[in-house]
Amino acid sequence: MDKVKNIIHKVTSKRKPADSQTILITGASGFVAAHVLNEFLEHGYKVRGTVRSEETANKVRATHAKYADNLSFAIVKDVAAPGAFDEAVKGVDGVIHTASPFQTSGIEDNERDLLNPAIHGTTEILNAIAKYNPSISRIVITSSFAAMVNMSEGFWPSHTYSEADWNPVTYDDAKSTSAGSVAYCASKTFAERAAWDFAEKNKPNWDIATILPPMVYGPNAHAVSSVDHLNTSSADIYGLINGSKSEVPTNAFWAYVDVRDVALAHRLAYEVPEAGGNRFFITAGNYHYQEFCDIIRKDVPEARDRTPEGKPGSGLGGVQVYKVDNGKSKKVLGIQYRSMEETVADAAKSLVEIEARK
C-alpha cells in the first residue's frame, strides 16, 4: 500500500498548474458533462470536449460562451469504434470520461445497443491513452450506482450501499434480459470493471478513479431546445411539475445527488492525490418523490398548482429502503453535499425557464 501511495504522490506532484493543463472531457454535450465542463473551466483549466458533430460542438460553445477561449472540441462520432479517441487524447494532461449510452427502453439488442458501446467506449479511450499519451497522470471515469446496485434485492432495508458493492449481474443475463433497466445497469457495471481490469493487466503510468452517482438531479447547463428533449432525470422532475400527475409517484431508485456535486467530485477526483485507484459513491442520501413535491410546492410558485400534494411532510412515507454511505467521498475528496431543497428547487426553476421558451 505504501508503494502505491508513493507512486500516486510521484505522479500527482508533477502536475502543472490548472491554467497550464488541458483536460479531455468526453461526451461534452450531456447533462452531467456540461456541469463537469463548468467545474474545470471555472477553476482555470483548458478543456477539450468530445462531441459527435460540429453542430453539437456549436451548441456546447453557446452554453459555455463565457469560457470560449479555453474550450476546444474533438469530433468522435462513435465512442465504441476502434481508434475513436486516438486523436482526441493527444496532448492532454488528464481525461474525464463521461460518455456512455443511457437507454432503458426501445432497446432491440442489449449487447449491440448497450453493453458493447459502454464497454468498448471505455476500453477504446484507455487504449488510446496507452498508445498516444501514456504520460498523463489520471483518468476519472463516470460510472454509476447502477454498477453497485443489486436489483434482485429490491428495497433491501437491512443493507447500506457503499463503494464495496458491485452489481452481481452476469453478462449472459445482461444479454438476454428483456428488462431494459437491468441491461443498462449491467452496461455500467461491465464498463467500470473493464477499466479496472485494464489497469490491473497493463499497469500503466496513470491511475484511475471512478465516480458512482445514483439519480442525478439539478439545473440544466447543457443545450436543451424544449421540455420535449430533456435528459432522463430532468424529465423525471418535469413529470412532477407539468400537471400530468395527480398523485405522487413511487420511486424506482431511492438515492440521489446534485449534478453540481457530481461535477465537483470529478474535479476533486482528478486533483486529490489519494483519490487514485478508488471508487467514489457520490450521493447526498435517500429521497422520496413526496419530499421533492413538498419542496417544489414551497419554493417554486409557478409550478405549485401543477405539482401533486400527496401527504406533505411524510418524508419516505414509512417505506423501509436501503441506506447509503457517502463517508468516503467526504473524507477523501472533502465534498460537502448540497441540500435536497437546493437541488430540487434549482432543478424545477430551470425546467420552468425551459418551458417558457415555447
Side-chain angles (χ1 to χ4, degrees):
M1 181 59 70
D2 289 340
K3 182 179 179 181
V4 171
K5 288 181 178 179
N6 288 337
I7 292 172
I8 291 172
H9 176 74
K10 182 178 178 181
V11 171
T12 55
S13 63
K14 292 180 179 179
R15 286 204 187 140
K16 299 177 288 187
D19 60 5
S20 297
Q21 293 191 56
T22 298
I23 307 298
L24 178 67
I25 300 177
T26 67
S29 62
F31 172 62
V32 171
H35 286 275
V36 177
L37 259 69
N38 280 337
E39 183 66 31
F40 277 89
L41 289 165
E42 286 171 2
H43 284 82
Y45 292 90
K46 296 178 178 65
V47 169
R48 180 186 302 165
T50 72
V51 290
R52 291 179 181 271
S53 67
E54 188 60 38
E55 179 184 3
T56 303
N58 288 332
K59 291 179 180 179
V60 180
R61 285 190 186 98
T63 55
H64 295 75
K66 180 180 177 182
Y67 304 105
D69 292 343
N70 285 337
L71 181 59
S72 61
F73 295 91
I75 306 300
V76 178
K77 294 181 179 180
D78 180 359
V79 298
F85 295 100
D86 287 0
E87 292 301 317
V89 302
K90 293 178 180 178
V92 301
D93 299 280
V95 175
I96 314 296
H97 182 50
T98 78
S100 186
F102 185 99
Q103 185 179 1
T104 59
S105 61
I107 301 165
E108 297 178 356
D109 184 310
N110 291 348
E111 191 167 39
R112 181 195 67 199
D113 299 338
L114 280 177
L115 299 174
N116 282 344
I119 296 167
H120 294 163
T122 298
T123 56
E124 281 304 321
I125 196 163
L126 298 180
N127 280 320
I129 293 165
K131 290 179 182 177
Y132 299 105
N133 196 351
S135 64
I136 71 165
S137 58
R138 179 165 297 162
I139 303 164
V140 180
I141 297 174
T142 312
S143 186
S144 170
F145 180 59
M148 298 167 57
V149 67
N150 187 334
M151 299 185 75
S152 66
E153 292 288 352
F155 290 2
W156 208 2
S158 63
H159 187 66
T160 299
Y161 277 107
S162 73
E163 291 84 355
D165 288 288
W166 278 95
N167 184 335
V169 67
T170 67
Y171 193 87
D172 286 342
D173 285 344
K175 280 175 57 177
S176 61
T177 183
S178 60
S181 59
V182 173
Y184 167 73
C185 289
S187 75
K188 298 299 291 186
T189 305
F190 292 115
E192 188 187 348
R193 284 197 181 278
W196 293 118
D197 289 347
F198 184 99
E200 177 64 26
K201 178 181 178 181
N202 295 283
K203 303 292 191 297
N205 293 324
W206 36 264
D207 58 23
I208 292 172
T210 59
I211 303 299
L212 299 99
M215 291 299 294
V216 182
Y217 298 109
N220 284 261
H222 64 307
V224 183
S225 58
S226 75
V227 291
D228 296 323
H229 298 91
L230 297 171
N231 66 291
T232 302
S233 61
S234 293
D236 209 23
I237 297 283
Y238 189 62
L240 299 177
I241 71 170
N242 66 2
S244 65
K245 293 179 174 64
S246 59
E247 302 292 334
V248 175
T250 301
N251 290 39
F253 292 97
W254 299 88
Y256 83 101
V257 69
D258 191 295
V259 65
R260 294 162 293 190
D261 290 335
V262 175
L264 173 63
H266 281 80
R267 179 176 63 81
L268 293 175
Y270 175 70
E271 292 178 342
V272 174
E274 295 79 11
N278 283 287
R279 309 173 87 202
F280 292 100
F281 186 20
I282 306 300
T283 178
N286 295 112
Y287 78 103
H288 191 290
Y289 286 130
Q290 178 66 62
E291 296 172 292
F292 282 17
C293 289
D294 290 351
I295 291 167
I296 293 166
R297 289 176 59 84
K298 171 179 173 287
D299 293 346
V300 191
E302 304 95 322
R304 176 182 171 84
D305 293 338
R306 297 181 291 170
T307 303
E309 182 176 14
K311 298 179 180 178
S314 59
L316 293 179
V319 179
Q320 299 296 310
V321 299
Y322 50 76
K323 294 171 280 295
V324 294
D325 179 1
N326 61 11
K328 185 176 179 181
S329 65
K330 290 179 176 179
K331 181 179 179 180
V332 179
L333 302 181
I335 293 178
Q336 295 182 343
Y337 289 94
R338 285 173 168 81
S339 68
M340 182 186 294
E341 183 167 12
E342 181 180 359
T343 299
V344 175
D346 286 355
K349 290 172 184 176
S350 172
L351 293 168
V352 168
E353 292 175 5
I354 294 170
E355 188 179 51
R357 297 174 190 167
K358 290 181 179 179

